[in-house]
Amino acid sequence: THSVLSTITTENGVCAWPQRVLRRRKEQILTWVKMGCLSRIVRGHSRKCVAIALVCLAITATTTNAALDEAPEGIPGSKRADAQPTRRGTRKKPSDAARMLHAELSTLRKEVADLKEATVGLKTYPKVIKRNELQRKRILITGGAGFVGSHLTDKLMMQGHEVTVLDNFFTGRKQNIEHWIGHPNFRLVMHDVVDPFMMEVDEIYHLASPASPPHYMYNPIKTIKTNSQGTLNMLGLARRVNARLLLASTSEVYGDPEVHPQTEDYRGNVNPIGPRACYDEGKRIAETMCFAYHRQAGVEIRVARIFNTFGDRMNLGDGRVVSNFIVQALQGKPITVYGEGQQTRSFQYVSDLVDGLVALMNGNHTGPINLGNPDEYTMLQFAQKIKALTKSESEIVHKPMPKDDPTRRRPNITRAKTQIGWQPVVTVDEGLAKAIKYFAEELKNGGTIHDKNGRRAGPYNALDKYAKNSQG
């Protein structure tokens, strides 16, 4: 409405249309007014009709003599309405049509103002590709409110699919996906995958599980149940509705590897009774169940082994290497390195991982497939890199090595390149720049990773407990 008004009036409200246009439109406008439909036109958002209505507004707002001469007879403020008394000494009364026009214009002004007020604060969504019903997949993402799950939700929503996020918010956060709430293609369900869940879906991305050491050690039994019973429930659903299921497994299935770099054929070196076993063995049994359902029941599966991932929406206190180092550096606190810092890790940015998950789901390879960045850093090198990027004066301190902490971790991604055409494109430095900016904004909102007055439910204040448990 405002854009149309700007085309027919100048900045001070004077009518900018040629007088011949107003003269030609005047009778048409009066006819519309007599029909009493201008207000209905504005409500219906007809561009052509709203333009005609705004011509009326422009006429009454006109202050030049030329425009006033063309105003309908009897409009207050026009030359004809303000004319001197006639020879007989009487002022000419406004016609019925003029009075109707004036009343209708008053109503239009109010409705235009209401429309302007109604558009203020309306929720807008990221741009979504439009798809017809046959092209639009129905996708379920367990753990979809978490760090990786929320980014996967963004990608699939923007591709135009219908996405249902299933999350119990043990480590996930509603703010990660709140920008989609209310969208017709989006649905959020608060539910624990340990309990059965029924719905019609085409694809299932099974990401539900705490993934950082402090989180999965906070409640080891819960971690085991999520990865065993939760995976069993999702496989049962996939079998029932003939859906394809992707399991988000982990590089932790390799344990403390004796083969470097790790290929998908390596069977691992895992301590089944150590403090990390709840997660390591939980993911191993989840993979076992996926392949059992695939062989016995014909369920279509995809298995991704995910290596260290970082990016925005990570929790401040999740205890992972990247978040720990960045937050400590930004706060000027000592940067904690375990052992001598010679153990190695490989880090990928979250957008690369999401692209890999979607490529694997849409590809023809069952897996398992490693998804990670082959660039390898010692923990001491990585701490020094983050210290330099944040321009921090924090000192680097060393603490005892946690029990069963892997000494080397680097993926061989040959299978990902050849089978699904995937490899990371975001460099570690590019990703760290984005992550540092994100954590700096988070810290501006107040609180620290040990804020005792903050969120207490779940594993958010579990770092001290992790330090104790990780020693065995």
Side-chain angles (χ1 to χ4, degrees):
T1 302
H2 303 142
S3 62
V4 176
L5 182 59
S6 66
T7 64
I8 65 174
T9 61
T10 59
E11 291 183 359
N12 59 2
V14 177
C15 182
W17 278 12
Q19 297 304 310
R20 56 185 177 79
V21 176
L22 292 176
R23 194 178 300 112
R24 186 170 65 249
R25 293 287 189 183
K26 183 170 66 175
E27 294 302 324
Q28 183 180 5
I29 293 169
L30 292 175
T31 301
W32 282 72
V33 172
K34 289 178 182 179
M35 294 171 63
C37 59
L38 277 181
S39 60
R40 292 198 300 273
I41 292 165
V42 173
R43 296 190 194 103
H45 299 284
S46 169
R47 293 182 180 179
K48 178 179 178 182
C49 298
V50 170
I52 296 175
L54 288 170
V55 172
C56 300
L57 293 176
I59 293 173
T60 59
T62 300
T63 58
T64 61
N65 291 335
L68 285 171
D69 287 339
E70 298 301 328
E73 184 176 299
I75 293 287
S78 69
K79 286 187 176 181
R80 297 185 183 183
D82 297 335
Q84 296 297 322
T86 62
R87 294 179 181 180
R88 296 182 181 181
T90 59
R91 187 185 297 273
K92 188 173 182 180
K93 296 181 178 180
S95 65
D96 291 340
R99 285 194 296 269
M100 290 175 60
L101 177 58
H102 183 64
E104 192 69 22
L105 289 175
S106 298
T107 302
L108 280 172
R109 287 194 190 95
K110 183 178 183 304
E111 293 190 357
V112 169
D114 291 343
L115 284 172
K116 181 178 178 181
E117 183 179 354
T119 58
V120 176
L122 285 180
K123 185 170 184 178
T124 58
Y125 301 98
K127 187 175 180 180
V128 172
I129 297 174
K130 292 185 179 180
R131 296 179 181 269
N132 62 41
E133 186 176 359
L134 296 178
Q135 296 174 327
R136 195 167 57 243
K137 297 177 183 177
R138 300 164 298 175
I139 300 174
L140 173 65
I141 304 177
T142 68
F147 161 48
V148 175
S150 62
H151 285 282
L152 179 61
T153 298
D154 288 348
K155 185 175 182 69
L156 295 174
M157 281 292 296
M158 288 188 284
Q159 288 182 348
H161 301 298
E162 296 178 10
V163 176
T164 298
V165 166
L166 199 70
D167 208 298
N168 67 349
F169 298 104
F170 182 66
T171 58
R173 296 181 294 177
K174 188 176 180 181
Q175 71 184 61
N176 289 343
I177 41 84
E178 65 182 356
H179 52 285
W180 291 115
I181 294 177
H183 193 282
N185 288 354
F186 180 79
R187 181 187 177 202
L188 173 62
V189 180
M190 186 172 179
H191 184 86
D192 195 322
V193 292
V194 172
D195 301 318
F197 182 76
M198 307 291 182
M199 70 173 294
E200 293 294 325
V201 293
D202 302 305
E203 294 177 351
I204 302 171
Y205 287 84
H206 182 37
L207 277 63
S209 175
S212 71
H215 288 180
Y216 62 66
M217 290 186 194
Y218 173 80
N219 190 342
I221 296 175
K222 175 67 175 175
T223 300
I224 295 170
K225 291 175 67 176
T226 299
N227 285 292
S228 56
Q229 186 62 45
T231 302
L232 194 64
N233 287 335
M234 289 301 106
L235 285 167
L237 174 61
R239 178 184 180 183
R240 190 175 301 110
V241 300
N242 196 30
R244 179 180 293 180
L245 180 141
L246 182 147
L247 171 67
S249 188
T250 173
S251 60
E252 293 292 335
V253 299
Y254 299 126
D256 188 6
E258 298 171 339
V259 173
H260 191 77
Q262 294 80 55
T263 65
E264 291 85 353
D265 295 328
Y266 178 56
R267 298 180 181 180
N269 176 33
V270 176
N271 178 2
I273 59 173
R276 303 169 70 101
C278 59
Y279 185 65
D280 300 3
E281 297 290 4
K283 288 297 186 182
R284 287 164 71 93
I285 188 61
E287 288 191 16
T288 301
M289 288 191 291
C290 283
F291 280 93
Y293 265 78
H294 175 63
R295 296 187 184 102
Q296 181 176 331
V299 174
E300 284 193 77
I301 62 166
R302 303 288 185 267
V303 176
R305 289 177 178 168
I306 301 171
F307 284 68
N308 291 61
T309 306
F310 70 97
D312 58 299
R313 299 181 190 167
M314 294 180 76
N315 293 329
L316 286 174
D318 68 358
R320 302 187 214 211
V321 173
V322 177
S323 55
N324 273 3
F325 285 1
I326 292 178
V327 171
Q328 289 169 347
L330 290 173
Q331 292 182 326
K333 296 181 177 180
I335 299 176
T336 305
V337 173
Y338 292 100
E340 296 298 321
Q342 296 308 305
Q343 66 272 37
T344 66
R345 296 291 186 273
S346 300
F347 302 95
Q348 67 180 334
Y349 193 66
V350 64
S351 60
D352 283 336
L353 172 59
V354 168
D355 290 343
L357 292 174
V358 174
L360 177 57
M361 175 66 89
N362 296 331
N364 296 318
H365 196 279
T366 299
I369 285 184
N370 291 335
L371 296 179
N373 190 329
D375 292 344
E376 187 177 12
Y377 296 87
T378 68
M379 291 299 91
L380 187 58
Q381 289 174 336
F382 201 67
Q384 292 168 341
K385 175 183 281 290
I386 288 179
K387 181 178 177 180
L389 291 173
T390 57
K391 299 178 181 179
S392 173
E393 297 182 358
S394 298
E395 63 174 331
I396 297 176
V397 298
H398 296 264
K399 291 188 176 182
M401 179 81 77
K403 185 177 177 61
D404 295 334
D405 193 41
T407 55
R408 293 188 298 177
R409 188 64 59 76
R410 178 188 175 191
N412 181 314
I413 60 171
T414 301
R415 186 178 291 184
K417 290 179 180 179
T418 58
Q419 298 296 331
I420 61 174
W422 175 88
Q423 63 181 348
V425 296
V426 180
T427 66
V428 171
D429 286 350
E430 290 172 345
L432 284 176
K434 297 177 183 179
I436 290 170
K437 181 180 179 180
Y438 162 75
F439 281 112
E441 290 296 324
E442 284 286 287
L443 290 172
K444 284 182 181 179
N445 294 330
T448 67
I449 59 174
H450 291 289
D451 189 352
K452 295 182 179 180
N453 295 320
R455 187 171 181 177
R456 301 185 63 82
Y460 287 91
N461 289 295
L463 292 183
D464 293 335
K465 184 177 180 180
Y466 162 65
K468 179 180 178 181
N469 289 348
S470 61
Q471 301 305 316

